[in-house]
Amino acid sequence: MSRFYATFIAMFHEPINSYLQTSIIKQAIDNKVIVPNIISILESVNYNHHQIDDTPYGGGAGQLIKIDIIEPLIKKALSLKNLHREQKRVVLLDPAGKPFNQKEAQRLSTYDEIIFICPRYEGIDARIHYFIDEAISLGDFILSNGDIAALSIFDAIARLKPQVLGSQASLQEESYNNFRLESSQYTRPKVFMGYEVPKVLQSGDHQSIAQYKLLESLIKTITLRPDLLQNCPINQAEENFLSTLFKKNKTYPWKK
């Protein structure tokens, strides 16, 4: 059985550990499919009586985590698992990093271990870049710490690992896997406050349902996330499908 090792270099255990104790991730950990580890920056400083952060050279607001605090923790993390170095990836969560998306999740899922470095304060001394493999950004917004971003990326990678999800079929159908949003899904009650589940989904006609889901996925992507089509434009078969079945109503109910 293959295992996915995830190490978090973070200030505190609690925020990350709390997340790891829930839902699919907890089940995968209990089954030893995912093996997590948290290296606390704060504990390492307490043990060594060092200061975590300091003011930036040249001035500026806030405090930076010191490079001589973080580098030994990266070295420690790399030494913990008996894996070849090329099977590991040291990832810094950084606003200046490569934007994260599903394609990046798939790429990172090919590694056996990801070591996430989770900054706090104003960040980490820039010399951290000499000791990492890459920097990744969750998006163009500011978070109070790197823990949240690291957990989001970890979750996206973990669910791509064999045996983490119960159904590989659901993984195949999920949004972004083919640069298309997943078709909308419904459950009981059939009618709620006048809004009814599309009749085709109630029909039991598997061919019609498959056609409806493909069409709805395309329309949903065109309307809500047209940027995804830059990576994977609509092909001729999809174009023919749209022109044949989508003639009258060119609006989309979730469009605001």
Side-chain angles (χ1 to χ4, degrees), residues 45-93:
V45 172
N46 287 342
Y47 297 153
N48 294 294
H49 307 290
H50 290 165
Q51 181 182 349
I52 292 174
D53 58 330
D54 209 338
T55 55
Y57 277 107
Q63 300 282 103
L64 292 175
I65 297 177
K66 291 155 55 70
I67 187 62
D68 58 340
I69 294 295
I70 291 294
E71 187 277 334
L73 300 184
I74 296 173
K75 188 179 294 182
K76 176 182 177 181
L78 286 169
S79 70
L80 290 176
K81 300 295 182 296
N82 188 24
L83 298 169
H84 293 298
R85 179 63 178 88
E86 59 268 21
Q87 296 173 282
K88 306 178 181 188
R89 201 71 176 162
V90 180
V91 173
L92 171 69
L93 284 305

Side-chain angles (χ1 to χ4, degrees), residues 109-129:
S109 73
T110 62
Y111 292 95
D112 293 328
E113 181 179 14
I114 305 290
I115 298 167
F116 297 98
I117 304 174
C118 310
R120 290 233 172 195
Y121 311 130
E122 286 298 309
I124 301 173
D125 184 306
R127 287 168 289 185
I128 185 68
H129 290 275

Side-chain angles (χ1 to χ4, degrees), residues 51-233:
Q51 181 182 349
I52 292 174
D53 58 330
D54 209 338
T55 55
Y57 277 107
Q63 300 282 103
L64 292 175
I65 297 177
K66 291 155 55 70
I67 187 62
D68 58 340
I69 294 295
I70 291 294
E71 187 277 334
L73 300 184
I74 296 173
K75 188 179 294 182
K76 176 182 177 181
L78 286 169
S79 70
L80 290 176
K81 300 295 182 296
N82 188 24
L83 298 169
H84 293 298
R85 179 63 178 88
E86 59 268 21
Q87 296 173 282
K88 306 178 181 188
R89 201 71 176 162
V90 180
V91 173
L92 171 69
L93 284 305
D94 185 348
K98 182 189 302 183
F100 186 71
N101 56 31
Q102 188 65 18
K103 185 177 179 180
E104 288 300 299
Q106 290 166 343
R107 176 180 65 83
L108 289 168
S109 73
T110 62
Y111 292 95
D112 293 328
E113 181 179 14
I114 305 290
I115 298 167
F116 297 98
I117 304 174
C118 310
R120 290 233 172 195
Y121 311 130
E122 286 298 309
I124 301 173
D125 184 306
R127 287 168 289 185
I128 185 68
H129 290 275
Y130 292 115
F131 305 100
I132 64 169
D133 295 316
E134 62 183 287
I136 290 181
S137 169
L138 192 60
D140 296 335
F141 52 91
I142 306 300
L143 294 170
S144 59
N145 61 73
D147 302 12
I148 303 167
L151 285 169
S152 298
I153 292 171
F154 157 75
D155 188 282
I157 297 168
R159 62 190 294 106
L160 296 173
K161 291 289 188 176
Q163 301 176 303
V164 171
L165 288 186
S167 169
Q168 289 301 304
S170 66
L171 184 60
Q172 293 291 329
E173 293 172 2
E174 286 182 332
S175 294
Y176 309 121
N177 275 341
N178 299 304
F179 297 102
R180 302 289 185 267
L181 296 177
E182 184 180 4
S183 62
S184 301
Q185 301 184 72
Y186 305 82
T187 188
R188 294 178 179 85
K190 183 168 64 176
V191 181
F192 178 71
M193 297 182 69
Y195 298 105
E196 185 178 2
V197 174
K199 291 189 181 298
V200 65
L201 298 180
Q202 306 174 43
S203 69
D205 183 335
H206 297 299
Q207 184 175 353
S208 296
I209 289 171
Q211 281 194 328
Y212 171 85
K213 285 186 172 182
L214 175 58
L215 179 64
E216 210 256 353
S217 170
L218 288 169
I219 296 168
K220 191 174 182 180
T221 305
I222 292 166
T223 309
L224 303 182
R225 288 294 307 276
D227 56 296
L228 293 174
L229 302 176
Q230 296 174 7
N231 296 306
C232 187

